[in-house]
Amino acid sequence: MKKLIFLSIILMAFFFTACEKEVITPYVAITGNFTNTPDPSAGFWEVLIPDGSVFMSPKKYVVNGTSALFGDVDETKSFMELPSPVFEPKIGGFTGGCTITTVDKDGDELIYVGEYFMFADLSNKTYLRIDGGTGKWKDAQGWFNTTGQADPMTGVNTVSGTGEVTEPK
């Protein structure tokens, strides 16, 4: 009986020391207002429309704006890339993947990866996951969604967004 109790204690000790402690990562709210301005120097995608016409979609945008958590965006280093625009007849607009890199005043990057939808009235939505970065954003994770409206004359897209991100280091 003593051997059984002793063996049970050893097994329990082994079991509890073998378990890793689950680390809960705190998330904080992130919101912001941004403008995305086409960067003509990056070129344009030629997107075929069902009526046979071609829409010239900028490959890259300059990002500017501010967020209470992130601070002011350094527009000289912040950008959005749209590598795969397609016309989507179901929404009468465009959809595709996008990658956004915002750089804060300290030079730290926060990277967002996801999908955008631009509707016939030039209103738009993005659904993004936060995918790391550099500096205090190195291991950042979370999500960020935006709604916006593009100006048909300039192509400038004004958006507001909200989400959650792991607390910066």
Side-chain angles (χ1 to χ4, degrees):
M1 186 68 164
K2 287 182 184 182
K3 285 184 182 181
L4 185 59
I5 292 173
F6 181 71
L7 186 57
S8 296
I9 291 172
I10 290 177
L11 285 174
M12 284 178 31
F14 177 73
F15 175 75
F16 288 114
T17 58
C19 293
E20 288 185 34
K21 230 181 194 182
E22 183 177 342
V23 177
I24 297 174
T25 304
Y27 282 82
V28 293
I30 184 169
T31 61
N33 296 300
F34 307 94
T35 57
N36 304 317
T37 304
D39 178 1
S41 68
F44 294 85
W45 297 108
E46 295 181 7
V47 183
L48 185 62
I49 310 293
D51 68 3
S53 62
V54 174
F55 177 77
M56 303 301 283
S57 176
K59 291 183 177 183
K60 190 174 184 181
Y61 289 77
V62 174
V63 176
N64 191 12
T66 190
S67 163
L69 178 66
F70 188 86
D72 289 335
V73 171
D74 181 345
E75 71 178 297
T76 65
K77 298 176 183 170
S78 301
F79 58 92
M80 175 175 69
E81 295 178 302
L82 306 176
S84 56
V86 295
F87 182 78
E88 176 53 64
K90 291 179 186 173
I91 64 171
F94 302 90
T95 186
C98 68
T99 301
I100 303 169
T101 301
T102 53
V103 180
D104 66 18
K105 65 180 169 66
D106 299 324
D108 297 334
E109 296 178 354
L110 184 59
I111 300 168
Y112 314 76
V113 178
E115 193 170 18
Y116 75 92
F117 299 87
M118 181 171 282
F119 305 96
D121 65 356
L122 301 182
S123 66
N124 52 79
K125 294 181 179 286
T126 63
Y127 300 96
L128 307 164
R129 78 175 185 282
I130 295 173
D131 197 23
T134 64
K136 67 180 152 274
W137 304 106
K138 181 179 178 204
D139 297 317
Q141 295 179 352
W143 61 274
F144 194 73
N145 297 334
T146 69
T147 59
Q149 182 67 47
D151 181 319
M153 300 306 287
T154 63
V156 174
N157 187 32
T158 303
V159 301
S160 61
T162 186
E164 291 183 321
V165 64
T166 48
E167 198 164 359
K169 298 175 184 174

